[in-house]
Amino acid sequence: MSSNPVAETVASLMPRARAELTELVAFKSVADFDQFPRSESEGAARWVADALGAEGFQDVALLDTPDGTQSVYGYLPGPDGAKTVLLYAHYDVQPPLDESAWTTPPFELTERDGRWYGRGAADCKGGVIMHLLALRALKANGGVPVHVKVIAEGSEEMGTGGLERYAEQHPDLLEADTIVIGDAGNFRVGLPTVTSTLRGMTMLRVQVDTLQGNLHSGQFGGAAPDALAALIRVLDSLRAEDGSTTVDGLAPETGWDGLQYDEEQFREDAKVLDGVELIGSGTVADRIWARPAVTVLGIDCPPVVGATPSVQAGARALVSLRVPPGTDAAEATKLLQAHLEAHTPWGARVRTEQIGQGQPFSADTTSPAYAAMADAMSVAYPGQEMQYAGQGGSIPLCNTLAALYPHAEILLIGLSEPEAQIHAVNESVSPQELERLSVAEALFLRNYAAG
């Protein structure tokens, strides 16, 4: 990489990048203002706005989005007639969870064993820094050859959709020829990866009622219908014997033909206990990227401590269904509701309530932007070829942007590889990945402009 002036510039900027990421990680920018002060998120937003202003961005603005948070926007004009590229990241972060379980404080960037630890270091404050590094490297080596729009979201982790609604209300704002979402990650450290599909999701609350009130389990148990038992039975109907998801009418047997995920490696990444089997059938990639997956997220019922010998009159659960590309999330929601109603035993009363939904996403990997990125990544990662992976999670904004700008090409890259442990305690980023991906993004912008 050293013979490349862009790579040399990025390498020289890494101490500054670390100092900036330290400042940005220090903001406790969790977009849940019952848990963390709004001033922390506003401080992080101002930091991003000031950084864009210092790089010569115009029209820098803190956008008040409908969910009560701020997204940061800026526009950097390029040469006349150049293409426009939108660079996305988010500055909000997941809560730190149990702060005492962190080896070092979650909001202090700390170097350990060659990685930088801190909440948001990879997801996605590091993504903000990646975009800045790429642009600085181009400015130092002949200039930025495209028009650049940057958008840094303030509530991505909360899923409250503020930026999605704002974009729909201001459809010209984020319009671009190509969109780089800096919120995904390489399949492994050192293996350059674009994420070409995302599963969508739907969430349902299901309530089962059988009696007007709880009953003595000795006096009535055996004949009185138990709502908790009915709920357990209906939830169990969502899985086949091998653990595969089975929702009536939902096609389960799609496959994944891109990068494969070694089963032993998956066991290690997922920290599966010795002797416990993986669930489902087909390859691991089929199961986590190309097929539906149901998860029971929570059950309301009496806790074990303090429980009385009672037949339960009512019980409820929160169920999520991840929806693969090719399946409409709204249709999947209807199928899941119908399945829950059809499989509730003993004539028990069942009610379902939808509380969230996002569509799956699939990119056109044959487009020119993908060729430009493949070339850039092969230079930034010598000896490696760009890989295509799926992601089991959802980024609803991708679908909003794809719907608003059907001609735009969308690429997903980022710093959230498995060792980063995003959303968990001891989140970290690999500075080597930050450096190489910043080089890749800079070279991509140059390739794309020339294409």
Side-chain angles (χ1 to χ4, degrees):
M1 243 165 69
S2 58
S3 63
N4 186 313
V6 166
E8 288 168 8
T9 302
V10 172
S12 74
L13 289 169
M14 287 305 290
R16 179 181 175 188
R18 180 178 173 177
E20 288 179 322
L21 189 56
T22 301
E23 292 175 16
L24 198 46
V25 163
F27 292 103
K28 301 180 171 91
S29 53
V30 179
D32 178 350
F33 305 133
D34 293 331
Q35 283 190 74
F36 289 87
R38 181 182 292 273
S39 58
E40 293 286 329
S41 286
E42 290 175 343
R46 275 196 304 276
W47 189 99
V48 176
D50 290 346
L52 294 180
E55 294 304 323
F57 275 74
Q58 301 174 1
D59 309 325
V60 176
L62 298 171
L63 311 176
D64 292 313
T65 64
D67 63 358
T69 64
Q70 294 179 317
S71 288
V72 187
Y73 171 81
Y75 174 67
L76 185 69
D80 285 348
K83 294 169 182 164
T84 300
V85 178
L86 174 70
L87 304 179
Y88 167 90
H90 61 87
Y91 69 81
D92 72 299
V93 296
Q94 284 281 343
L97 303 171
D98 178 6
E99 295 203 26
S100 65
W102 285 71
T103 307
T104 48
F107 297 104
E108 287 177 28
L109 194 74
T110 309
E111 181 159 0
R112 201 164 67 246
D113 303 323
R115 294 183 69 94
W116 299 344
Y117 285 80
R119 176 54 94 222
D123 182 26
C124 182
K125 289 175 174 176
V128 174
I129 303 299
M130 174 181 78
H131 294 325
L132 290 173
L133 279 171
L135 295 171
R136 287 170 184 158
L138 289 171
K139 285 167 77 175
N141 290 281
V144 180
V146 291
H147 305 295
V148 175
K149 294 178 178 180
V150 165
I151 187 76
E153 188 174 4
S155 58
E156 192 274 342
E157 298 294 7
M158 290 296 116
T160 43
L163 181 56
E164 292 150 61
R165 303 291 83 76
Y166 191 93
E168 287 163 355
Q169 292 159 12
H170 305 83
D172 295 340
L173 186 74
L174 302 182
E175 189 164 6
D177 298 297
T178 278
I179 299 166
V180 179
I181 305 276
D183 191 25
N186 286 346
F187 184 68
R188 288 265 158 272
V189 170
L191 186 66
T193 312
V194 288
T195 299
S196 54
T197 67
L198 300 166
R199 287 195 294 199
M201 76 170 299
T202 184
M203 270 202 285
L204 293 180
R205 282 200 195 105
V206 53
Q207 171 82 38
V208 174
D209 295 296
T210 53
L211 304 163
Q212 287 183 356
N214 287 2
L215 298 171
H216 188 292
S217 63
Q219 197 174 355
F220 294 97
D226 178 330
L228 180 54
L231 178 65
I232 290 167
R233 187 161 283 194
V234 71
L235 295 177
D236 186 55
S237 75
L238 293 168
R239 293 190 185 278
E241 194 65 31
D242 67 0
S244 303
T245 293
T246 51
V247 175
D248 296 345
L250 198 60
E253 292 308 316
T254 40
W256 177 263
D257 57 7
L259 183 66
Q260 291 300 320
Y261 203 150
D262 175 74
E263 198 158 315
E264 283 311 307
Q265 185 65 59
F266 178 83
R267 290 185 69 88
E268 197 177 305
D269 291 343
K271 299 180 171 58
V272 180
L273 300 178
D274 286 348
V276 179
E277 298 170 15
L278 301 187
I279 60 170
S281 63
T283 69
V284 170
D286 291 341
R287 288 177 249 180
I288 62 171
W289 297 335
R291 292 184 182 171
V294 76
T295 307
V296 179
L297 303 180
I299 297 180
D300 285 343
C301 60
V304 170
V305 175
T308 60
S310 301
V311 177
Q312 298 301 313
R316 70 175 186 161
L318 182 62
V319 177
S320 106
L321 178 66
R322 297 285 176 169
V323 182
T327 302
D328 177 58
E331 183 59 28
T333 302
K334 288 183 195 153
L335 292 171
L336 179 58
Q337 287 174 313
H339 179 105
L340 292 168
E341 288 161 12
H343 289 265
T344 300
W346 317 319
R349 293 183 185 175
V350 58
R351 290 198 315 279
T352 59
E353 177 194 359
Q354 185 184 355
I355 59 164
Q357 182 180 288
Q359 291 289 358
F361 168 78
S362 188
D364 173 12
T365 57
T366 64
S367 61
Y370 276 81
M373 183 64 82
D375 183 55
M377 283 184 158
S378 69
V379 175
Y381 290 82
Q384 296 289 347
E385 275 187 40
M386 183 176 85
Q387 303 290 321
Y388 297 96
Q391 188 173 303
S394 311
I395 305 177
L397 180 70
C398 280
N399 300 87
T400 302
L401 297 177
L404 284 174
Y405 319 120
H407 303 299
E409 303 175 55
I410 300 179
L411 299 98
L412 291 101
I413 62 170
L415 299 160
S416 299
E417 35 74 32
E419 289 176 54
Q421 299 204 122
I422 64 167
H423 295 201
V425 297
N426 296 316
E427 176 183 346
S428 67
V429 70
S430 157
Q432 289 76 27
E433 291 287 63
L434 175 59
E435 183 176 337
R436 288 182 290 211
L437 282 168
S438 300
V439 173
E441 182 164 278
L443 296 176
F444 160 74
L445 293 173
R446 191 180 271 179
N447 293 346
Y448 183 64

